[in-house]
Coordinates of all heavy atoms in Angstrom, one line a residue:
M1 N 0.9 -1.2 0.0 CA 0.0 0.0 0.0 C 0.9 1.2 0.0 O 1.9 1.2 0.7 CB -0.9 0.0 1.2 CG -2.0 1.0 1.3 SD -3.2 0.7 2.5 CE -2.4 1.1 4.0
R2 N 0.5 2.3 -0.8 CA 1.3 3.5 -0.9 C 0.4 4.6 -0.4 O -0.8 4.6 -0.8 CB 1.9 3.7 -2.2 CG 2.8 2.5 -2.6 CD 3.6 2.8 -3.9 NE 4.6 3.9 -3.8 CZ 5.8 3.9 -3.3 NH1 6.2 2.8 -2.7 NH2 6.5 4.9 -3.4
I3 N 1.0 5.6 0.2 CA 0.3 6.8 0.7 C 0.8 8.0 -0.1 O 2.1 8.2 0.0 CB 0.2 7.0 2.2 CG1 -0.5 5.9 2.8 CG2 -0.4 8.3 2.5 CD1 -0.5 5.8 4.3
D4 N 0.1 8.8 -0.6 CA 0.6 10.1 -1.3 C 0.6 11.2 -0.3 O -0.4 11.9 0.0 CB -0.4 10.5 -2.5 CG -0.2 9.6 -3.7 OD1 0.9 9.2 -3.9 OD2 -1.1 9.3 -4.3
C5 N 1.8 11.4 0.3 CA 2.0 12.5 1.2 C 2.0 13.7 0.5 O 2.6 13.9 -0.6 CB 3.3 12.2 1.9 SG 3.8 13.6 3.0
P6 N 1.3 14.8 1.0 CA 1.2 16.1 0.3 C 2.5 16.7 0.2 O 2.7 17.6 -0.7 CB 0.2 16.9 1.0 CG -0.3 16.1 2.2 CD 0.4 14.7 2.1
H7 N 3.5 16.4 1.1 CA 4.8 17.1 1.0 C 5.8 16.2 0.3 O 6.6 16.6 -0.5 CB 5.3 17.3 2.4 CG 6.6 18.0 2.5 ND1 6.9 19.2 2.0 CD2 7.8 17.5 2.9 CE1 8.2 19.5 2.2 NE2 8.8 18.5 2.7
C8 N 5.8 14.8 0.6 CA 6.9 14.0 0.1 C 6.5 13.2 -1.2 O 7.4 12.6 -1.8 CB 7.3 12.9 1.2 SG 7.8 13.7 2.7
G9 N 5.3 13.1 -1.5 CA 4.8 12.3 -2.7 C 4.5 10.9 -2.2 O 4.2 10.6 -1.1
S10 N 4.4 10.1 -3.2 CA 4.0 8.6 -2.9 C 5.0 7.9 -2.2 O 6.3 7.9 -2.6 CB 3.8 8.0 -4.3 OG 3.4 6.7 -4.1
R11 N 4.6 7.4 -1.1 CA 5.6 6.6 -0.1 C 5.0 5.3 0.3 O 3.7 5.2 0.4 CB 5.9 7.5 1.1 CG 6.6 8.8 0.8 CD 8.0 8.4 0.3 NE 8.9 9.6 0.3 CZ 9.2 10.2 -0.8 NH1 8.7 9.9 -1.9 NH2 10.0 11.3 -0.7
D12 N 5.7 4.3 0.6 CA 5.3 3.0 1.1 C 4.7 3.2 2.5 O 5.2 4.1 3.3 CB 6.5 2.1 1.2 CG 6.1 0.7 1.6 OD1 5.6 0.0 0.7 OD2 6.2 0.3 2.8
V13 N 3.7 2.4 2.8 CA 3.0 2.5 4.0 C 3.9 2.3 5.2 O 3.6 2.8 6.3 CB 1.8 1.6 4.1 CG1 2.2 0.1 4.2 CG2 0.7 1.9 5.1
H14 N 5.0 1.6 5.1 CA 5.9 1.3 6.2 C 6.5 2.6 6.8 O 7.1 2.5 7.8 CB 6.9 0.3 5.9 CG 6.3 -1.0 5.6 ND1 6.0 -1.5 4.3 CD2 5.8 -2.0 6.4 CE1 5.4 -2.7 4.4 NE2 5.3 -3.0 5.7
E15 N 6.5 3.7 6.0 CA 7.0 5.0 6.5 C 6.1 5.7 7.5 O 6.4 6.7 8.1 CB 7.3 5.9 5.3 CG 8.5 5.5 4.5 CD 8.9 6.6 3.5 OE1 8.3 7.7 3.6 OE2 9.6 6.3 2.6
F16 N 4.8 5.2 7.6 CA 3.8 5.8 8.4 C 3.4 5.0 9.6 O 3.5 3.8 9.6 CB 2.6 6.0 7.5 CG 2.8 6.9 6.3 CD1 3.3 6.3 5.1 CD2 2.4 8.2 6.3 CE1 3.6 7.1 4.0 CE2 2.7 9.0 5.2 CZ 3.2 8.5 4.0
T17 N 2.8 5.6 10.6 CA 2.2 5.0 11.7 C 0.8 5.4 11.7 O 0.4 6.6 11.7 CB 2.9 5.5 13.0 OG1 4.3 5.2 13.0 CG2 2.3 4.9 14.2
Y18 N -0.1 4.3 11.9 CA -1.6 4.5 11.9 C -2.0 4.9 13.3 O -1.6 4.3 14.3 CB -2.2 3.2 11.5 CG -3.7 3.2 11.6 CD1 -4.5 3.7 10.7 CD2 -4.2 2.5 12.7 CE1 -5.9 3.6 10.8 CE2 -5.7 2.4 12.8 CZ -6.4 3.0 11.8 OH -7.8 3.0 12.0
L19 N -2.9 5.9 13.4 CA -3.4 6.2 14.7 C -4.9 5.8 14.9 O -5.2 5.2 15.9 CB -3.4 7.9 14.9 CG -4.0 8.3 16.2 CD1 -3.2 7.7 17.4 CD2 -4.1 9.8 16.3
G20 N -5.7 6.1 13.9 CA -7.1 5.6 13.9 C -8.0 6.6 13.3 O -7.6 7.5 12.5
D21 N -9.3 6.5 13.7 CA -10.4 7.4 13.1 C -10.1 8.8 13.2 O -9.8 9.3 14.4 CB -11.6 7.0 13.9 CG -12.9 7.7 13.4 OD1 -12.8 8.5 12.5 OD2 -14.0 7.3 13.9
A22 N -10.1 9.6 12.2 CA -9.8 11.0 12.3 C -10.9 11.8 12.9 O -10.6 12.9 13.3 CB -9.5 11.6 10.8
A23 N -12.1 11.3 12.9 CA -13.2 12.0 13.6 C -13.5 11.7 15.1 O -14.2 12.3 15.7 CB -14.5 11.7 12.8
Y24 N -12.6 10.7 15.6 CA -12.9 10.3 17.0 C -12.5 11.4 18.0 O -11.5 12.1 17.8 CB -12.0 9.0 17.3 CG -12.0 8.7 18.7 CD1 -13.1 8.0 19.2 CD2 -11.0 8.9 19.6 CE1 -13.2 7.6 20.6 CE2 -11.0 8.5 20.9 CZ -12.1 7.8 21.4 OH -12.2 7.5 22.7
R25 N -13.4 11.6 19.0 CA -13.1 12.5 20.0 C -13.1 11.7 21.4 O -14.2 11.1 21.6 CB -14.1 13.7 20.1 CG -14.1 14.5 18.9 CD -12.8 15.3 18.8 NE -12.7 16.0 17.5 CZ -11.9 15.7 16.5 NH1 -11.2 14.7 16.6 NH2 -11.8 16.4 15.4
R26 N -12.1 11.9 22.1 CA -11.9 11.3 23.4 C -13.0 11.8 24.4 O -13.3 13.0 24.4 CB -10.6 11.5 23.9 CG -10.2 10.8 25.2 CD -8.8 11.0 25.5 NE -8.6 10.2 26.8 CZ -7.9 10.7 27.8 NH1 -7.4 11.9 27.7 NH2 -7.8 10.0 28.9
P27 N -13.7 10.9 25.1 CA -14.7 11.4 26.1 C -14.0 12.3 27.2 O -12.9 12.2 27.4 CB -15.2 10.1 26.8 CG -14.9 9.0 25.8 CD -13.6 9.5 25.1
D28 N -14.8 13.2 27.8 CA -14.3 14.1 28.8 C -14.1 13.3 30.1 O -15.1 12.8 30.7 CB -15.4 15.2 29.0 CG -15.0 16.2 30.2 OD1 -13.9 16.1 30.7 OD2 -15.8 17.1 30.4
P29 N -12.9 13.2 30.6 CA -12.6 12.4 31.8 C -13.3 13.0 33.1 O -13.3 12.4 34.1 CB -11.1 12.4 31.9 CG -10.6 13.5 31.0 CD -11.6 13.8 30.0
Q30 N -13.6 14.4 33.0 CA -14.2 15.0 34.1 C -15.7 14.9 34.1 O -16.3 15.4 35.1 CB -13.8 16.5 34.1 CG -12.3 16.7 34.2 CD -11.7 16.1 35.4 OE1 -12.2 16.2 36.4 NE2 -10.5 15.5 35.1
A31 N -16.4 14.4 33.1 CA -17.8 14.2 33.1 C -18.3 13.2 34.1 O -17.6 12.4 34.5 CB -18.2 13.8 31.7
P32 N -19.5 13.5 34.7 CA -20.1 12.6 35.7 C -20.1 11.1 35.2 O -20.0 10.2 36.0 CB -21.4 13.1 36.0 CG -21.4 14.5 35.4 CD -20.4 14.5 34.4
D33 N -20.4 10.9 33.9 CA -20.5 9.6 33.3 C -19.2 9.1 32.6 O -19.3 8.4 31.6 CB -21.7 9.4 32.4 CG -21.5 10.4 31.2 OD1 -20.7 11.3 31.2 OD2 -22.2 10.2 30.2
A34 N -18.1 9.6 33.0 CA -16.8 9.4 32.3 C -16.5 7.9 32.2 O -16.1 7.4 31.1 CB -15.7 10.1 33.0
L35 N -16.7 7.1 33.2 CA -16.4 5.7 33.1 C -17.3 5.0 32.1 O -16.7 4.3 31.2 CB -16.6 5.0 34.5 CG -16.3 3.5 34.5 CD1 -14.9 3.2 34.1 CD2 -16.7 2.9 35.9
E36 N -18.5 5.2 32.0 CA -19.4 4.6 31.0 C -19.0 5.1 29.6 O -19.0 4.3 28.7 CB -20.9 4.9 31.3 CG -21.4 4.3 32.6 CD -21.1 5.1 33.9 OE1 -20.6 6.3 33.7 OE2 -21.4 4.6 35.0
A37 N -18.7 6.4 29.5 CA -18.3 7.0 28.2 C -17.1 6.3 27.7 O -16.9 6.0 26.5 CB -18.1 8.5 28.3
F38 N -16.1 6.1 28.5 CA -14.8 5.5 28.1 C -15.0 4.0 27.8 O -14.5 3.5 26.8 CB -13.7 5.6 29.1 CG -12.9 6.9 29.1 CD1 -13.3 7.9 29.8 CD2 -11.9 7.0 28.1 CE1 -12.6 9.1 29.7 CE2 -11.2 8.3 28.0 CZ -11.6 9.3 28.8
V39 N -15.8 3.2 28.5 CA -16.1 1.8 28.2 C -16.8 1.8 26.9 O -16.4 0.9 26.0 CB -17.0 1.2 29.4 CG1 -17.6 -0.2 28.8 CG2 -16.3 1.1 30.6
E40 N -17.8 2.6 26.6 CA -18.4 2.6 25.3 C -17.5 3.0 24.2 O -17.5 2.4 23.1 CB -19.6 3.6 25.3 CG -20.4 3.6 24.0 CD -21.6 4.4 24.1 OE1 -22.2 4.6 25.2 OE2 -22.0 5.0 23.0
A41 N -16.6 4.0 24.4 CA -15.7 4.4 23.3 C -14.7 3.3 23.0 O -14.3 3.1 21.8 CB -14.9 5.7 23.8
V42 N -14.3 2.6 24.0 CA -13.3 1.5 23.7 C -13.9 0.2 23.2 O -13.4 -0.4 22.2 CB -12.5 1.1 25.1 CG1 -11.7 -0.1 24.9 CG2 -11.7 2.3 25.5
H43 N -15.1 -0.1 23.7 CA -15.6 -1.5 23.4 C -16.8 -1.5 22.3 O -17.0 -2.6 21.8 CB -16.1 -2.2 24.6 CG -15.0 -2.5 25.6 ND1 -14.1 -3.4 25.4 CD2 -14.7 -1.9 26.8 CE1 -13.2 -3.4 26.4 NE2 -13.6 -2.5 27.2
T44 N -17.4 -0.3 22.0 CA -18.4 -0.4 21.1 C -18.3 0.7 19.9 O -19.2 1.0 19.3 CB -19.8 0.0 21.8 OG1 -19.7 1.3 22.3 CG2 -20.2 -1.0 22.9
R45 N -17.1 1.0 19.7 CA -16.7 1.9 18.6 C -17.1 1.3 17.2 O -17.0 0.1 17.0 CB -15.3 2.2 18.6 CG -15.0 3.5 17.9 CD -13.5 3.9 17.9 NE -12.9 4.0 19.3 CZ -11.7 4.3 19.5 NH1 -10.9 4.5 18.5 NH2 -11.2 4.4 20.7
V46 N -17.6 2.0 16.3 CA -17.9 1.6 15.0 C -16.7 1.2 14.2 O -15.8 1.9 14.1 CB -18.8 2.6 14.3 CG1 -19.1 2.2 12.8 CG2 -20.0 2.9 15.0
N47 N -16.8 0.1 13.5 CA -15.8 -0.4 12.6 C -16.3 -0.3 11.1 O -16.9 -1.3 10.7 CB -15.4 -1.8 12.9 CG -14.1 -2.3 12.2 OD1 -13.5 -1.5 11.5 ND2 -13.9 -3.6 12.3
P48 N -16.1 0.8 10.5 CA -16.8 1.1 9.2 C -16.2 0.2 8.1 O -15.0 -0.2 8.0 CB -16.5 2.5 8.9 CG -15.2 2.8 9.7 CD -15.2 1.9 10.8
A49 N -17.1 -0.1 7.1 CA -16.7 -0.8 5.9 C -16.9 0.2 4.8 O -18.0 0.6 4.6 CB -17.5 -2.1 5.7
G50 N -15.8 0.5 4.1 CA -15.9 1.5 3.0 C -14.9 2.6 3.3 O -13.9 2.5 4.0
I51 N -15.1 3.7 2.6 CA -14.1 4.8 2.6 C -14.3 5.5 4.0 O -15.4 5.8 4.4 CB -14.4 5.8 1.5 CG1 -14.1 5.1 0.1 CG2 -13.5 7.0 1.6 CD1 -14.4 6.0 -1.1
H52 N -13.1 5.7 4.6 CA -13.0 6.2 6.0 C -11.9 7.1 6.1 O -10.8 6.9 5.5 CB -12.9 4.9 6.9 CG -12.9 5.2 8.3 ND1 -14.0 5.8 8.9 CD2 -12.0 5.1 9.3 CE1 -13.7 5.9 10.2 NE2 -12.5 5.6 10.4
E53 N -12.0 8.2 6.9 CA -10.9 9.1 7.0 C -10.1 8.7 8.3 O -10.7 8.6 9.4 CB -11.4 10.5 7.2 CG -10.4 11.6 6.9 CD -11.0 13.0 6.6 OE1 -11.6 13.5 7.5 OE2 -10.8 13.4 5.5
E54 N -8.8 8.6 8.2 CA -8.0 8.2 9.2 C -6.8 9.1 9.5 O -6.4 9.8 8.5 CB -7.4 6.8 9.0 CG -8.5 5.7 8.7 CD -7.9 4.4 8.0 OE1 -6.9 4.5 7.3 OE2 -8.5 3.4 8.2
L55 N -6.2 9.0 10.6 CA -5.0 9.8 10.9 C -3.7 8.9 10.8 O -3.7 7.7 11.3 CB -5.0 10.3 12.3 CG -6.0 11.5 12.6 CD1 -6.0 11.8 14.1 CD2 -5.7 12.6 11.7
W56 N -2.8 9.3 10.1 CA -1.4 8.6 9.9 C -0.4 9.6 10.1 O -0.5 10.8 9.7 CB -1.4 8.1 8.5 CG -2.3 7.0 8.1 CD1 -3.6 7.0 7.9 CD2 -2.0 5.6 8.0 NE1 -4.1 5.8 7.7 CE2 -3.1 4.9 7.7 CE3 -0.8 4.9 8.1 CZ2 -3.1 3.5 7.4 CZ3 -0.7 3.5 7.9 CH2 -1.9 2.9 7.6
Y57 N 0.8 9.2 10.7 CA 1.9 10.0 11.0 C 3.1 9.6 10.1 O 3.4 8.4 10.0 CB 2.3 9.8 12.5 CG 3.5 10.7 12.9 CD1 3.5 12.0 12.9 CD2 4.7 10.1 13.2 CE1 4.6 12.8 13.2 CE2 5.9 10.8 13.6 CZ 5.7 12.1 13.6 OH 6.9 12.9 13.9
H58 N 3.7 10.6 9.4 CA 4.7 10.2 8.4 C 6.1 10.4 9.2 O 6.8 11.3 8.9 CB 4.6 11.2 7.2 CG 5.5 10.7 6.1 ND1 5.7 11.4 5.0 CD2 6.2 9.5 6.0 CE1 6.4 10.8 4.1 NE2 6.8 9.6 4.7
G59 N 6.3 9.5 10.1 CA 7.5 9.5 10.9 C 8.8 9.4 10.1 O 9.8 9.8 10.6
S60 N 8.8 8.5 9.0 CA 10.1 8.4 8.3 C 10.1 9.3 7.2 O 11.0 9.1 6.3 CB 10.1 6.9 7.8 OG 10.2 6.0 8.9
G61 N 9.4 10.3 7.2 CA 9.4 11.4 6.1 C 9.4 12.8 6.7 O 10.3 13.1 7.5
C62 N 8.4 13.5 6.3 CA 8.3 15.0 6.8 C 7.8 15.1 8.2 O 7.7 16.2 8.7 CB 7.3 15.6 5.7 SG 5.7 15.1 5.8
R63 N 7.5 14.0 8.9 CA 7.0 14.0 10.3 C 5.7 14.8 10.4 O 5.6 15.6 11.4 CB 8.1 14.5 11.2 CG 9.4 13.5 11.1 CD 10.6 14.1 11.8 NE 10.3 14.4 13.2 CZ 11.2 14.9 14.0 NH1 12.4 15.0 13.7 NH2 10.8 15.2 15.3
S64 N 4.9 14.8 9.5 CA 3.6 15.4 9.5 C 2.5 14.4 9.8 O 2.5 13.3 9.5 CB 3.3 16.2 8.2 OG 4.2 17.1 8.0
W65 N 1.4 14.9 10.5 CA 0.1 14.2 10.7 C -0.7 14.4 9.5 O -0.8 15.5 9.0 CB -0.5 14.6 11.9 CG 0.0 14.1 13.1 CD1 0.8 14.6 14.0 CD2 -0.2 12.7 13.6 NE1 1.2 13.8 15.1 CE2 0.6 12.7 14.8 CE3 -1.0 11.7 13.3 CZ2 0.6 11.5 15.6 CZ3 -0.9 10.5 14.0 CH2 -0.2 10.4 15.2
L66 N -1.2 13.3 8.9 CA -2.0 13.3 7.7 C -3.4 12.7 8.0 O -3.6 11.8 8.7 CB -1.4 12.6 6.5 CG 0.1 12.9 6.2 CD1 0.6 11.9 5.0 CD2 0.1 14.3 5.7
K67 N -4.4 13.3 7.2 CA -5.7 12.7 7.2 C -5.7 11.9 5.9 O -5.5 12.5 4.8 CB -6.9 13.7 7.1 CG -7.2 14.3 8.5 CD -8.4 15.1 8.4 CE -8.8 15.7 9.7 NZ -9.9 16.6 9.7
V68 N -5.9 10.6 5.9 CA -5.9 9.7 4.8 C -7.3 9.2 4.5 O -7.9 8.5 5.5 CB -4.8 8.6 5.0 CG1 -4.8 7.7 3.8 CG2 -3.5 9.2 5.1
R69 N -7.8 9.2 3.4 CA -9.1 8.6 3.0 C -8.7 7.2 2.4 O -8.1 7.1 1.4 CB -9.9 9.4 2.1 CG -10.4 10.7 2.7 CD -11.2 11.6 1.8 NE -12.1 11.0 0.9 CZ -13.4 10.6 1.2 NH1 -13.8 10.8 2.5 NH2 -14.1 10.0 0.3
R70 N -9.1 6.2 3.2 CA -8.8 4.8 2.7 C -10.1 4.0 2.8 O -11.0 4.1 3.7 CB -7.8 4.2 3.8 CG -7.4 2.7 3.5 CD -6.4 2.3 4.5 NE -6.9 2.2 5.8 CZ -7.5 1.0 6.3 NH1 -7.5 -0.1 5.5 NH2 -7.9 1.0 7.5
D71 N -10.2 3.1 1.8 CA -11.3 2.1 1.8 C -10.9 0.9 2.6 O -9.9 0.2 2.4 CB -11.6 1.6 0.4 CG -12.9 0.8 0.2 OD1 -13.1 0.0 1.1 OD2 -13.6 1.0 -0.8
T72 N -11.7 0.7 3.7 CA -11.3 -0.3 4.7 C -11.5 -1.7 4.2 O -11.0 -2.7 4.7 CB -12.1 -0.1 6.0 OG1 -13.5 -0.2 5.7 CG2 -11.7 1.2 6.6
R73 N -12.2 -1.8 3.0 CA -12.5 -3.2 2.5 C -11.3 -3.5 1.6 O -10.9 -4.7 1.5 CB -13.8 -3.2 1.7 CG -15.0 -3.0 2.6 CD -16.2 -2.7 1.8 NE -16.0 -1.5 1.0 CZ -16.8 -0.8 0.3 NH1 -18.1 -1.2 0.2 NH2 -16.5 0.3 -0.3
T74 N -10.7 -2.6 0.8 CA -9.8 -2.9 -0.2 C -8.4 -2.3 0.1 O -7.4 -2.6 -0.6 CB -10.2 -2.4 -1.6 OG1 -10.2 -1.0 -1.5 CG2 -11.6 -2.9 -2.0
H75 N -8.3 -1.4 1.1 CA -7.1 -0.7 1.5 C -6.7 0.3 0.4 O -5.6 0.9 0.5 CB -5.9 -1.6 1.8 CG -6.2 -2.5 3.0 ND1 -6.5 -2.0 4.2 CD2 -6.4 -3.8 3.0 CE1 -6.7 -3.1 5.0 NE2 -6.7 -4.1 4.3
E76 N -7.5 0.6 -0.6 CA -7.2 1.6 -1.6 C -7.2 3.0 -1.0 O -8.1 3.3 -0.2 CB -8.2 1.6 -2.8 CG -8.0 2.5 -3.9 CD -9.0 2.4 -5.0 OE1 -9.9 1.6 -4.9 OE2 -9.0 3.2 -5.9
I77 N -6.2 3.7 -1.3 CA -6.1 5.1 -0.8 C -6.8 6.1 -1.8 O -6.6 6.0 -2.9 CB -4.6 5.5 -0.6 CG1 -3.9 4.6 0.3 CG2 -4.4 6.9 -0.2 CD1 -4.3 4.5 1.8
H78 N -7.6 6.9 -1.2 CA -8.4 7.9 -2.0 C -8.0 9.3 -1.8 O -8.7 10.2 -2.1 CB -9.9 7.7 -1.7 CG -10.5 6.5 -2.3 ND1 -11.0 6.3 -3.5 CD2 -10.6 5.2 -1.6 CE1 -11.4 5.1 -3.7 NE2 -11.2 4.4 -2.5
G79 N -6.8 9.5 -1.2 CA -6.3 10.8 -1.0 C -5.8 11.0 0.4 O -6.0 10.3 1.3
A80 N -4.9 12.1 0.5 CA -4.3 12.4 1.8 C -4.1 13.9 1.8 O -3.8 14.6 0.8 CB -3.0 11.7 1.9
S81 N -4.3 14.5 3.0 CA -4.1 15.9 3.2 C -3.5 16.1 4.6 O -3.5 15.1 5.4 CB -5.3 16.7 3.1 OG -6.3 16.2 4.1
F82 N -2.8 17.2 4.9 CA -2.4 17.5 6.2 C -3.5 17.5 7.2 O -4.5 18.1 6.9 CB -1.6 18.9 6.2 CG -0.3 18.8 5.5 CD1 -0.1 19.6 4.4 CD2 0.8 18.1 5.9 CE1 1.0 19.7 3.7 CE2 1.9 18.0 5.2 CZ 2.1 18.8 4.0
A83 N -3.3 16.9 8.4 CA -4.3 16.9 9.4 C -4.7 18.3 9.9 O -5.8 18.6 10.2 CB -3.9 16.0 10.5
N84 N -3.6 19.1 10.0 CA -3.8 20.5 10.4 C -3.8 21.3 9.1 O -2.7 21.5 8.5 CB -2.7 20.9 11.3 CG -2.8 22.4 11.7 OD1 -3.7 23.1 11.2 ND2 -1.9 22.8 12.6
P85 N -4.9 21.9 8.7 CA -5.0 22.6 7.4 C -4.0 23.8 7.3 O -3.8 24.2 6.2 CB -6.5 23.2 7.3 CG -7.2 22.5 8.5 CD -6.2 21.9 9.4
E86 N -3.6 24.3 8.5 CA -2.6 25.4 8.4 C -1.2 24.9 8.1 O -0.2 25.8 8.1 CB -2.6 26.2 9.7 CG -4.0 26.8 10.0 CD -4.2 27.4 11.4 OE1 -3.1 27.5 12.0 OE2 -5.2 27.7 11.7
T87 N -1.0 23.6 8.1 CA 0.4 23.0 7.8 C 0.8 23.4 6.4 O 0.1 23.0 5.5 CB 0.5 21.6 8.1 OG1 0.1 21.3 9.5 CG2 1.9 21.1 7.9
T88 N 1.9 24.0 6.3 CA 2.6 24.2 4.9 C 4.0 23.8 5.0 O 4.6 24.0 6.1 CB 2.4 25.6 4.4 OG1 3.0 26.5 5.3 CG2 0.9 25.9 4.2
R89 N 4.5 23.2 4.0 CA 6.0 22.9 4.1 C 6.7 23.5 2.9 O 6.3 23.8 1.9 CB 6.1 21.4 3.9 CG 5.5 20.7 5.1 CD 6.5 19.9 5.7 NE 5.9 19.4 7.0 CZ 6.6 19.3 8.1 NH1 7.9 19.7 8.2 NH2 6.1 18.8 9.2

């Protein structure tokens, strides 16, 4: 699998580290229902089939965080952009 880094170009997936769902937001640990929220976040998270936006870190390249659109069924990459839109290289 290859990822098109917006700064470095097409690179092998082994240069990157996968973090997970780009839309995921960690529950508030100070909320009154924090324990239940964390149990739900860890054990009942949706595992989508199809195109999904994920966070990847290009540690062996430009060291940028990227949002990668990947089809979870085929692993086909449908694009990548900097996770922080203000990032420019």
Side-chain angles (χ1 to χ4, degrees):
M1 188 166 73
R2 296 188 68 80
I3 296 176
D4 287 324
C5 174
H7 178 68
C8 302
S10 181
R11 296 290 192 258
D12 187 80
V13 71
H14 293 101
E15 290 189 12
F16 298 85
T17 302
Y18 172 79
L19 176 66
D21 183 354
Y24 174 73
R25 296 293 173 255
R26 186 172 179 226
D28 177 6
Q30 301 303 318
D33 65 341
L35 179 59
E36 294 84 7
F38 274 97
V39 168
E40 184 172 328
V42 170
H43 296 289
T44 63
R45 205 180 298 183
V46 175
N47 187 11
I51 296 176
H52 184 64
E53 200 164 64
E54 305 166 329
L55 290 173
W56 291 75
Y57 179 67
H58 195 184
S60 295
C62 62
R63 298 173 54 180
S64 296
W65 281 99
L66 305 177
K67 281 188 180 179
V68 176
R69 290 181 41 84
R70 180 178 69 91
D71 190 322
T72 60
R73 296 167 298 191
T74 64
H75 300 294
E76 181 181 359
I77 302 294
H78 291 272
S81 61
F82 291 115
N84 179 353
E86 297 175 11
T87 301
T88 58
R89 296 245 172 213

